[in-house]
Amino acid sequence: MDIRYSANPGDVKRYTTEELRKEFLIENLYVPDAVQAVYSHVDRMVVLGIHPVSKTLPIDQGIDVWANFGTHYFLERREAGVFNLGGPGSVTVDGREYRLGFEDCLYITMGEKEVLFSSDSPEDPARFYLVSAPAHRACQTTFLSMEDAAKRPLGSPETSNARVINQFIHPDVLETCQLSMGLTVLEPGSVWNTMPAHTHERRMEVYTYFNIPEGNVVFHMMGQGQETRHIVMKNFDAVISPSWSIHAGCGTGSYTFIWAMGGENQAFDDMDVIPVTDLR
């Protein structure tokens, strides 16, 4: 498991490009028949890339759960959200099978012991993207399709940020302990995933970008509003966004992204907007 410790904004403004990428960027999440894990000490969020091809993979493959979490199994004190970004597959939770197609979601509550991931076909394997947050109470494991998500259209073509925010793991859809996740789709011709930029001091966020056409990238904007930085991201890359950092992005082509949040509250509009003309 790759461990990422919390970064100080005063130090980050002095980082080189490579230091910035090493601290916040998560690459190579999908290795055939492996579980790739990154543990961020920012609100203790865990990001997993699970890519079963010819094998069924347990959630904790290659992870020393006791050494990293001090628990007996991965979700003993955690909840998780899973999106499938590949071919059709299944997630089996304590013997209950949930079938996930492309962009389907599964919320897994605290206390579920055995979680297994498999693909229907090695020729078109699933890519399971998982984010886990600490939890203190159990809710209900729930499958969610795109039709189940709460739709929130935002932005406009005139500002190049017309998009639909699909809220999956969210208080308006189902009850969770603290984790929130959703999937944002940009309208044709729009390239900004949010603008004006904002922070939310009471929560951190993790983004993953996908559906990026070959030969294109996304410029992920981060840093404090007066000390902005950027990280160039490719298809299936993820990025850690501390509470003090803006989190916006602009693509050279179309793309989709998944956001995951954890922290003090689940209020979607609890954000501190920074006027565009105040950014530096």
Side-chain angles (χ1 to χ4, degrees):
M1 181 180 284
D2 183 8
I3 307 294
R4 308 284 182 93
Y5 292 95
S6 300
N8 184 301
D11 292 337
V12 169
K13 66 182 181 180
R14 301 180 180 91
Y15 281 10
T16 65
T17 297
E18 192 55 38
E19 288 172 328
L20 200 68
R21 292 172 66 86
K22 185 177 180 181
E23 190 75 36
F24 300 105
L25 179 63
I26 302 173
E27 299 178 284
N28 304 314
L29 267 174
Y30 303 101
V31 175
D33 289 326
V35 175
Q36 301 292 98
V38 176
Y39 184 171
S40 172
H41 277 256
V42 182
D43 286 306
R44 299 193 176 275
M45 299 282 268
V46 179
V47 177
L48 300 183
I50 305 169
H51 194 26
V53 177
S54 60
K55 301 178 181 178
T56 296
L57 302 176
I59 192 173
D60 59 354
Q61 177 168 292
I63 299 172
D64 188 332
V65 173
W66 180 258
N68 286 286
F69 309 126
T71 57
H72 297 92
Y73 55 95
F74 191 96
L75 294 176
E76 183 177 346
R77 296 286 294 171
R78 289 185 159 272
E79 59 187 348
V82 181
F83 278 88
N84 183 8
L85 306 184
S90 297
V91 183
T92 302
V93 182
D94 282 347
R96 308 183 307 276
E97 183 183 44
Y98 299 89
R99 298 190 55 77
L100 273 67
F102 182 64
E103 294 184 348
D104 284 341
C105 175
L106 181 67
Y107 168 72
I108 310 175
T109 191
M110 181 189 83
E112 304 281 22
K113 291 185 178 180
E114 184 182 59
V115 185
L116 305 173
F117 299 83
S118 61
S119 296
D120 287 5
S121 167
E123 287 74 34
D124 186 21
R127 293 175 185 259
F128 294 109
Y129 174 72
L130 183 150
V131 179
S132 173
H136 61 267
R137 63 186 176 90
C139 297
Q140 182 173 344
T141 297
T142 305
F143 168 84
L144 299 157
S145 69
M146 184 65 77
E147 289 70 32
D148 298 315
K151 308 293 192 294
R152 185 163 180 171
L154 288 176
S156 69
E158 290 76 17
T159 50
S160 302
N161 67 347
R163 62 203 189 277
V164 176
I165 298 175
N166 298 280
Q167 299 169 330
F168 281 79
I169 301 173
H170 187 274
D172 290 343
V173 180
L174 80 165
E175 183 181 24
T176 69
C177 186
Q178 70 152 317
L179 183 66
S180 296
M181 292 182 74
L183 184 152
T184 298
V185 180
L186 276 68
E187 299 291 341
S190 286
V191 293
W192 286 99
N193 62 46
T194 184
M195 194 54 68
H198 63 270
T199 61
H200 26 71
E201 188 64 31
R202 294 148 293 278
R203 288 172 290 158
M204 67 89 70
E205 196 155 358
V206 179
Y207 274 16
T208 190
Y209 293 94
F210 65 104
N211 285 343
I212 301 174
E214 186 175 356
N216 287 268
V217 297
V218 172
F219 286 77
H220 178 79
M221 310 299 175
M222 65 162 298
Q224 293 177 299
Q226 302 302 305
E227 289 282 351
T228 60
R229 300 291 185 269
H230 74 266
I231 297 176
V232 178
M233 302 186 63
K234 298 179 181 179
N235 211 21
F236 298 119
D237 285 348
V239 63
I240 299 166
S241 179
S243 60
W244 48 263
S245 176
I246 65 169
H247 38 282
C250 186
T252 60
S254 60
Y255 62 94
T256 307
F257 72 99
I258 291 171
W259 44 270
M261 292 188 287
E264 296 290 350
N265 64 38
Q266 295 177 303
F268 185 78
D269 293 319
D270 182 8
M271 58 184 70
D272 303 310
V273 174
I274 303 172
V276 173
T277 53
D278 288 351
L279 292 171
R280 293 177 58 185

